[in-house]
Amino acid sequence: MTTPSLQRRLGLGDAVFIGLGSMVGAGVFAVWAPAADAAGTGLLVGLAIAAVVAFGNATSSAQLAAAHPTSGGTYAYGRAELGPWWGFIAGWGFVVGKTASCAAMALTFAAYAAPAGWERPVAIGAVVALTAVNWFGVTRTAGAARVIVVITLGALAAAVTAAFSAGDAPEWFTADELWAGGGYGILQSAGLLFFAFAGYARIATMGEEVRDPRRVIPRAIVIAFVLALAVYAVVAVAVLGTLGPAGVAASGQPVADAAAHSGWAWIGVVVRVGAAAGSLGALLALIAGVSRTAFAMSRERDLPGFLDRVHPRWHVPHRAELTAGALVVVLVALVDLRGAIGFSSFGVLLYYFVANVAAFRQRGAARRYPAVLQIVGGIGCLVLAVTLPWPSVVAGIAVAAVGVAYRAIRLSRAA
C-alpha cells in the first residue's frame, strides 16, 4: 500500500507568513498585562529570556526539519531520532493541547469581533470558515495568512506610532525597576511571553508541503522568529513607555490603551481590527498544524488510521482537517477554555523539550547549529515548566498519562 503523502507547493515567503501568523497573533495584544503584573518593567528581561529559550528551540526545529522534511514536526523528528515513544509524547501533547488552543483562539477572535451575546456562534463560524480555507489547499492557507499578517502588522504599526507620539521619556527604565519583580516574577513573564510568540513549530509541521524543504524550512523558521521578536520588542517598549509598568499591569487592553493616549479617535477601531485579524491568523495556522501532526500520527497508527487520507484534488489531509475542525467546534460550543487550557502550555514545553533532545542527538552533516543551543533550549523548557501554575502542571501530566495509556493499550491489542 502506498504511503499517503502531500504535495510541495509552498515557497519561502509562504512559510514565513504562516510562521508569522502563528507568532504575531492575539498574544501580542494581550500578553503584556499579565507579564507586567508578574515582573513590572522586568518583563523586558523576561522577553530576552524567552527569546533565548525560543531561539534554542527554533534552531533545533530548523536543524531537524532539514534532516526530516516530512509532516508532523517534532512528532516525526522524535520518532526518527529518539524512538516511537518520544515522538508520540510530543505529538500527543501538541494535538490535544493545540486543539484546546484553537477553541480558545476562536473565542478570543469573537471577543473582539462579535456583538455581545453572539461570541460562540461567531467563534464557530470562524472555525468553519478557516477549516474550509485549509480544505481548498495549502496555497489558500498561505494566501490567507499573508492577508491576515499584513492587516495585523498594519494595525500594530498604527498603534505603536500612536503610543510613541503620546509617550514621554521612559523614567521607569532603570536597573532597579528592571529587577523589581524579582527572579521568579521575571521567569513567569518569560513563560507568558514564550507561549505568546513561540509558533515557529507551525512551519515544521508542514514540512511535506514546502518546496526544497532542507533549505527553505530552516530559513523560514529563523526569519519568522527574528521578525516576530522584533515586533514584540517594539510593542513592549511602546506600551511600557506610555502606560508605565503599573498601568500596563492594570490594563485589560494594553495596546489599545497605550494607543488611546495619542487622542486619535479612530485608533481604537484599528487595534480591534488588528487583534481580531491576529486571532484569525493564529487560528488558521493552528488548525493547519494540528491537522498535519494528526495526519502524520495516523500514518504511523498512533492515531486512528482513517485520518491519513489525502484529498485527490486539493492534496491536503482533509479527514484530519475536518476532524480537527469538528472537535474545535464542539469545544467552542460547550466549554469555556480561555482560562482552562494550562495543559496546552505544558504540552508546548514538552514538545520543544523533545525537539531539543532529538536535535542534540544529531551528528555529522545533520548538525547545523552548536549543541549548546539545544542544551539552552532544553533546560529553558524545563525551567519555564517549573514556573507554570501547579494546576497547569498537573493537567499537563494528566493529559500525557492519558496518551501513554492509549498507546500502551493499542500496542497490547496489536501484539
Side-chain angles (χ1 to χ4, degrees), residues 167-347:
D168 298 321
E171 298 177 0
W172 45 267
F173 191 71
T174 65
D176 289 340
E177 286 291 329
L178 281 174
W179 297 103
Y184 185 72
I186 287 172
L187 286 175
Q188 278 196 321
S189 72
L192 291 164
L193 292 161
F194 173 83
F195 298 126
F197 75 86
Y200 33 81
R202 256 19 106 273
I203 302 170
T205 59
M206 307 181 79
E208 206 167 305
E209 296 165 279
V210 175
R211 297 189 298 269
D212 191 8
R214 298 181 191 279
R215 180 183 65 88
V216 169
I217 293 180
R219 291 177 63 191
I221 288 174
V222 174
I223 291 170
F225 168 76
V226 170
L227 291 175
L229 177 59
V231 170
Y232 272 80
V234 170
V235 174
V237 173
V239 296
L240 281 171
T242 305
L243 302 177
V248 175
S251 174
Q253 297 180 319
V255 175
D257 289 344
H261 275 240
S262 66
W264 301 353
W266 48 268
I267 196 65
V269 174
V270 171
V271 174
R272 288 184 67 85
V273 169
S279 302
L280 283 181
L283 178 58
L284 178 72
L286 278 171
I287 293 173
V290 167
S291 64
R292 269 63 179 181
T293 303
F295 168 76
M297 295 180 74
S298 177
R299 275 196 306 204
E300 302 292 344
R301 297 303 182 257
D302 277 336
L303 287 179
F306 78 93
L307 297 174
D308 75 354
R309 300 298 186 271
V310 177
H311 195 281
R313 179 178 180 184
W314 304 114
H315 306 288
V316 297
H318 58 296
R319 291 187 181 180
E321 287 183 344
L322 286 179
T323 302
L327 289 173
V328 174
V329 166
V330 170
L331 291 175
V332 169
L334 300 179
V335 184
D336 186 357
L337 289 167
R338 283 171 289 188
I341 57 168
F343 64 87
S344 177
S345 299
F346 186 89

Side-chain angles (χ1 to χ4, degrees), residues 6-406:
L6 306 175
Q7 287 196 344
R8 301 193 183 279
R9 297 185 169 191
L10 301 179
L12 177 63
D14 299 319
V16 169
F17 272 99
I18 288 172
L20 278 176
S22 301
M23 290 184 268
V24 185
V28 74
F29 293 91
V31 73
W32 309 111
D37 186 54
T41 304
L43 73 85
L44 295 174
V45 181
L47 180 60
I49 294 171
V52 171
V53 176
F55 185 71
N57 296 340
T59 53
S60 291
S61 297
Q63 180 174 294
L64 289 161
H68 307 284
T70 186
S71 288
T74 298
Y75 166 72
Y77 311 151
R79 281 184 65 90
E81 298 288 343
L82 303 170
W85 272 108
W86 285 81
F88 175 82
I89 290 171
W92 177 263
F94 183 86
V95 169
V96 176
K98 289 306 182 182
T99 299
S101 293
C102 285
M105 196 56 62
L107 290 167
T108 301
F109 162 74
Y112 285 103
W118 285 84
E119 288 84 1
R120 290 187 189 273
V122 170
I124 290 171
V127 174
V128 172
L130 294 184
T131 301
V133 169
N134 283 330
W135 171 281
F136 288 112
V138 72
T139 55
R140 306 303 197 283
T141 301
R146 285 176 182 267
V147 173
I148 290 169
V149 168
V150 167
I151 292 172
T152 305
L153 292 180
L156 281 172
V160 166
T161 301
F164 279 134
S165 74
D168 298 321
E171 298 177 0
W172 45 267
F173 191 71
T174 65
D176 289 340
E177 286 291 329
L178 281 174
W179 297 103
Y184 185 72
I186 287 172
L187 286 175
Q188 278 196 321
S189 72
L192 291 164
L193 292 161
F194 173 83
F195 298 126
F197 75 86
Y200 33 81
R202 256 19 106 273
I203 302 170
T205 59
M206 307 181 79
E208 206 167 305
E209 296 165 279
V210 175
R211 297 189 298 269
D212 191 8
R214 298 181 191 279
R215 180 183 65 88
V216 169
I217 293 180
R219 291 177 63 191
I221 288 174
V222 174
I223 291 170
F225 168 76
V226 170
L227 291 175
L229 177 59
V231 170
Y232 272 80
V234 170
V235 174
V237 173
V239 296
L240 281 171
T242 305
L243 302 177
V248 175
S251 174
Q253 297 180 319
V255 175
D257 289 344
H261 275 240
S262 66
W264 301 353
W266 48 268
I267 196 65
V269 174
V270 171
V271 174
R272 288 184 67 85
V273 169
S279 302
L280 283 181
L283 178 58
L284 178 72
L286 278 171
I287 293 173
V290 167
S291 64
R292 269 63 179 181
T293 303
F295 168 76
M297 295 180 74
S298 177
R299 275 196 306 204
E300 302 292 344
R301 297 303 182 257
D302 277 336
L303 287 179
F306 78 93
L307 297 174
D308 75 354
R309 300 298 186 271
V310 177
H311 195 281
R313 179 178 180 184
W314 304 114
H315 306 288
V316 297
H318 58 296
R319 291 187 181 180
E321 287 183 344
L322 286 179
T323 302
L327 289 173
V328 174
V329 166
V330 170
L331 291 175
V332 169
L334 300 179
V335 184
D336 186 357
L337 289 167
R338 283 171 289 188
I341 57 168
F343 64 87
S344 177
S345 299
F346 186 89
V348 169
L349 287 168
L350 188 61
Y351 180 89
Y352 284 121
F353 177 76
V354 173
N356 283 299
V357 174
F360 184 78
R361 288 281 301 273
Q362 290 182 296
R363 296 291 184 269
R367 176 162 295 285
R368 290 170 170 245
Y369 302 98
V372 67
L373 288 175
Q374 288 105 57
I375 295 172
V376 168
I379 293 175
C381 287
L382 295 177
V383 170
L384 293 182
V386 171
T387 67
L388 288 173
W390 70 265
S392 299
V393 177
V394 172
I397 293 172
V399 169
V402 169
V404 169
Y406 162 78

